[in-house]
Amino acid sequence: MLDALRAVLELEDSKVDPGELAALIDALQAKLCRVVSAATARGDHLLSGRSPVTWVAETCLMSKTSASDRLCVGGQLDSLPQVEQALAAGQIGYQATSVICHLSEQLGEKRDSIQEEHWIDYARRFSIKDLRYLAAKARYIWDPEGFEKDDEEDYDKRYLHLSAMGRMYKLDAVFDVEGGQALLTAIDALSKPLGEGDRRSPKQRRADAAVELAHRAMSNGLLPKRSGVRPHIAVTTTVEALRAEVGATASELHDGKPLSSKTIQRLACDGTLHRVMKADSMVIDVGRATRVVSGSQRRGVNARHRCCAWPGCDRPLSWTSVHHIQFWGRGGRSDMRNLVPLCYFHHRLVHEGGWQVVKVGESLRFVPPDREIIRRSRAPGWRLAA
């Protein structure tokens, strides 16, 4: 048998029918499921002191999720003879068989509700995504108590890890169905392209949307205070760093991570400042907190604009920061003619991205950088972006 399979592998690719090869692989997957299910039933995993799932994962060189799936399918095929026959005949694929077997396992004693001929027909006509949807609906109808129990178990599995990865952060999370849908809905609402010049990839827009949600919650006082203070990003800088002078001490976040002068200038556009005077590294005076842009100035800016000032951007004013056309860190004044509202993405595009905002009479022009920024594209090669 194994020699025959190796003979298939040695055939020229052009001589192998993809559909027939897929059907053969699916049939072999079913055989593997039966083999590992029988082996764990005999207790083979106990010889190595492993759980059934761990033993299958290590023996078959697969993830524990895949191992659990193989054990489920192997344990359910005896109770689904028509489904097994359809898989062996190449009428349905392994993935569809797995969906039906998982439904059977979830239903337990109520698995007799499954009419195999109907589900074989569904597997032929519908995508795997739609088949999973049908299985979830059937589970809810046939076993509402079990469905609710699974919901609670899924809720208990939720987690979120945000860890430092060099100068960046990595997010790893799992949400329950309601929480995930809430987050997805909010991010989708913020992740559409902002104007014709928005060259961000979809995944970059989603990342920026998550950051915007955090900034929105902090800047609008929507988060509970900690130690009597609203949550905020704290940065330590110097006058020299704000001016981007050569040799200036690096600005730092509260955990010591350095920030570029361009980022500091953007944060200073519409932030709250505390003046701290030092002598020989000792603090000798701390000034009162002062907003760079006062409340009345912000209201004046809002009266002149309906949304982010960037052409084609529809971010509402409540989602913008006030930008100084002549940078505040370089001596720009906080007067009405020098202030314009920009959303998070476009504010960053001006400071870190090198774009310029130029006032011509009463109108604004947004000028791209005069240099070419080279970024790696998704496919091999390079592209130019402004």
Side-chain angles (χ1 to χ4, degrees), residues 226-253:
R226 299 183 63 179
S227 302
V229 179
R230 282 169 44 183
H232 60 282
I233 298 175
V235 178
T236 301
T237 188
T238 63
V239 173
E240 292 78 14
L242 277 172
R243 293 173 179 169
E245 295 181 2
V246 177
T249 302
S251 305
E252 295 181 345
L253 292 165

Side-chain angles (χ1 to χ4, degrees), residues 61-255:
L61 303 178
M62 61 178 61
S63 68
K64 290 184 178 181
T65 300
S66 297
S68 178
D69 173 70
R70 300 315 187 270
L71 287 171
C72 170
V73 173
Q76 297 299 315
L77 284 178
D78 279 341
S79 60
L80 298 166
Q82 295 180 50
V83 171
E84 182 179 17
Q85 184 178 358
L87 174 62
Q91 297 172 356
I92 64 174
Y94 174 79
Q95 285 185 297
T97 302
S98 174
V99 172
I100 300 171
C101 287
H102 278 278
L103 175 61
S104 175
E105 182 183 56
Q106 291 168 342
L107 291 174
E109 296 179 355
K110 300 178 181 180
R111 64 172 57 90
D112 291 340
S113 301
I114 298 177
Q115 293 181 311
E116 292 186 66
E117 62 275 13
H118 290 170
W119 284 91
I120 292 171
D121 181 53
Y122 297 154
R124 290 170 176 167
R125 294 192 292 123
F126 299 119
S127 67
I128 299 299
K129 179 180 178 181
D130 290 340
L131 191 65
R132 290 195 179 108
Y133 173 78
L134 289 173
K137 293 284 286 186
R139 173 77 193 291
Y140 178 81
I141 294 171
W142 293 333
D143 185 22
E145 292 181 358
F147 187 90
E148 291 176 359
K149 180 181 177 182
D150 283 354
D151 259 3
E152 287 304 305
E153 290 178 354
D154 288 345
Y155 183 71
D156 287 340
K157 295 175 184 176
R158 71 197 186 281
Y159 69 84
L160 187 150
H161 296 300
L162 184 61
S163 54
M165 188 176 64
R167 284 183 44 78
M168 303 188 74
Y169 283 87
K170 181 179 180 180
L171 177 66
D172 178 36
V174 169
F175 297 93
D176 65 286
V177 62
E178 180 193 353
Q181 190 62 49
L183 183 60
L184 179 63
T185 301
I187 288 179
D188 279 351
L190 293 170
S191 59
K192 70 176 184 178
L194 298 176
E196 295 181 0
D198 189 348
R199 301 191 181 193
R200 296 174 295 171
S201 67
K203 61 184 179 182
Q204 289 175 328
R205 294 199 303 270
R206 290 193 293 270
D208 287 348
V211 174
E212 276 195 89
L213 286 171
H215 278 296
R216 162 77 170 172
M218 288 190 293
S219 62
N220 288 274
L222 302 177
L223 301 176
K225 293 182 178 181
R226 299 183 63 179
S227 302
V229 179
R230 282 169 44 183
H232 60 282
I233 298 175
V235 178
T236 301
T237 188
T238 63
V239 173
E240 292 78 14
L242 277 172
R243 293 173 179 169
E245 295 181 2
V246 177
T249 302
S251 305
E252 295 181 345
L253 292 165
H254 73 280
D255 62 357

